[in-house]
Amino acid sequence: MHVNDPWEPKSSPEECTGGDMKMESPPSTAVGRRKRRRTKSGKNKEELENQRMTHIKVERNRRKQMNEYLAVIRSLMPSSYVQRGDQASIVGGAINFVKELEQQLQTLEVQKRAINGYSPPLAPQPFGYFFSFPQYSTHHTSEDAGGSATTAKNQLPAMADIEVTMVESQANIKILSKKRHSQLFKMMAGLQCLWLTVVHLNVTTVEEMVLYTVSVKLEDRCQLSTVDEIADAVNCLLCKIEEESLCSN
C-alpha cells in the first residue's frame, strides 16, 4: 500500500493548488503600456495631418498670389506677346516685352544723340551696343566669341548682327542690317517657311541701318531647336536675300 509522502512533489499544478486556484492574468501594466502607445501614435497622426493641412494652405496662398502677379504682368503687355495663358508663356512674353522697351529706349537715345550731333565712341553704328551676346556680328574680330565660331563652321559671312534668345517654345530675334529692297517681306516669308510663326514685330530705322526685333513661336514642325540653329537659319536667309538683291541690280 502506497502512502503519500507529504514531502513528495505533486504531479500536477492542480494538485499543488488543490485544484481550486486559477491561473492569474498578466499584470495590467503591459496593457496600460500598449494603450499609451496607441495614444502616442494617434497624436503623431494628428500632428502630421495638421502639418499637411498647413502646407496645403500655404501652397494654395502661394499659388493664388503667383496667379495674381502673373495676371497683372499680363495686363501690362500687348496681347501679341502672350499667346497662351500658362506661366511659362506669360514670363517669356514679359521678357520679350522688357527687351522691346529697352530697344525703344535705345532708339530714343540714338535719335537724341543724332539731333545733338553726338555719336557714342563705343558704338560705331546705331544699336551696336544693343546686342549683348550676338551669334553673328559684322564688326567682331576673329578673337571675339560672338558669331565668329558659327560663321567659320558654316562658311558663311555674317550678313548682319543677329542675336537670338529663347524661352520655352518662343524665341526673340534681333537683326541689325543695312536696308535692302523688299528685305522685310522676304524675311517674314522665310521665317514662315522655317515654321517660325511671327507673333510680334518691331522695325526701327536710323540712317542706312534697320533694326528688326521679332518674336516668333516655334511650331511643332519646326526643325530648329536651339538659338544657334535659329541664328544660322536667319543668317542664311539674309544671305539669300542679299544674293537676290545683287542679281536684281
Side-chain angles (χ1 to χ4, degrees), residues 2-238:
H2 178 71
V3 181
N4 293 332
D5 188 354
W7 300 104
E8 182 179 356
K10 301 297 182 179
S11 60
S12 65
E14 289 79 1
E15 292 178 354
C16 292
T17 58
D20 296 333
M21 184 177 293
K22 297 182 179 180
M23 296 293 293
E24 295 182 356
S25 60
S28 60
T29 56
V31 177
R33 189 178 297 112
R34 285 198 298 272
K35 289 182 178 180
R36 286 194 296 271
R37 288 174 182 172
R38 285 198 298 269
T39 302
K40 185 177 181 180
S41 177
K43 185 177 180 180
N44 290 338
K45 290 181 178 180
E46 183 178 356
E47 291 178 353
L48 292 175
E49 182 65 17
N50 291 335
Q51 292 177 1
R52 188 179 74 86
M53 295 304 297
T54 301
H55 175 74
I56 291 175
K57 184 177 180 180
V58 171
E59 182 65 17
R60 186 182 295 114
N61 292 335
R62 186 192 68 81
R63 291 182 179 179
K64 180 181 178 182
Q65 189 177 38
M66 180 64 69
N67 291 332
E68 291 176 352
Y69 288 157
L70 290 173
V72 173
I73 293 176
R74 186 174 186 179
S75 66
L76 296 175
M77 296 185 294
S79 58
S80 59
Y81 283 91
V82 183
Q83 300 297 314
R84 296 179 298 177
D86 58 284
Q87 295 184 2
S89 298
I90 296 175
V91 173
I95 293 174
N96 292 333
F97 183 57
V98 170
K99 290 181 178 180
E100 179 75 15
L101 295 178
E102 290 178 349
Q103 174 191 331
Q104 293 180 7
L105 178 61
Q106 296 283 359
T107 302
L108 294 175
E109 290 180 354
V110 170
Q111 293 176 351
K112 179 180 177 181
R113 291 174 179 178
I115 294 174
N116 296 332
Y118 171 75
S119 179
L122 298 179
Q125 57 181 339
F127 306 109
Y129 49 89
F130 185 62
F131 292 76
S132 301
F133 302 101
Q135 284 82 12
Y136 284 86
S137 177
T138 57
H139 56 277
H140 282 172
T141 61
S142 58
E143 291 81 8
D144 291 335
S148 57
T150 307
T151 303
K153 179 184 67 175
N154 292 275
Q155 301 300 318
L156 287 176
M159 304 304 301
D161 289 0
I162 304 172
E163 181 173 302
V164 182
T165 56
M166 285 186 63
V167 177
E168 297 292 333
S169 62
Q170 292 188 349
N172 189 65
I173 307 173
K174 289 185 291 187
I175 305 169
L176 177 63
S177 68
K178 293 183 178 180
K179 296 178 184 179
R180 293 288 185 270
H181 180 68
S182 301
Q183 185 181 52
L184 178 59
F185 173 77
K186 294 178 180 179
M187 189 166 57
M188 294 299 103
L191 292 176
Q192 192 68 30
C193 292
L194 295 172
W195 296 99
L196 298 173
T197 301
V198 178
V199 296
H200 189 80
L201 170 66
N202 186 75
V203 181
T204 305
T205 59
V206 175
E207 299 176 352
E208 297 181 355
M209 305 302 295
V210 56
L211 175 65
Y212 302 102
T213 301
V214 191
S215 296
V216 298
K217 177 184 178 183
L218 280 68
E219 301 295 342
D220 295 336
R221 299 177 63 178
C222 181
Q223 301 297 318
L224 309 175
S225 58
T226 66
V227 294
D228 289 335
E229 291 176 354
I230 296 176
D232 292 343
V234 171
N235 188 69
C236 183
L237 177 60
L238 293 175

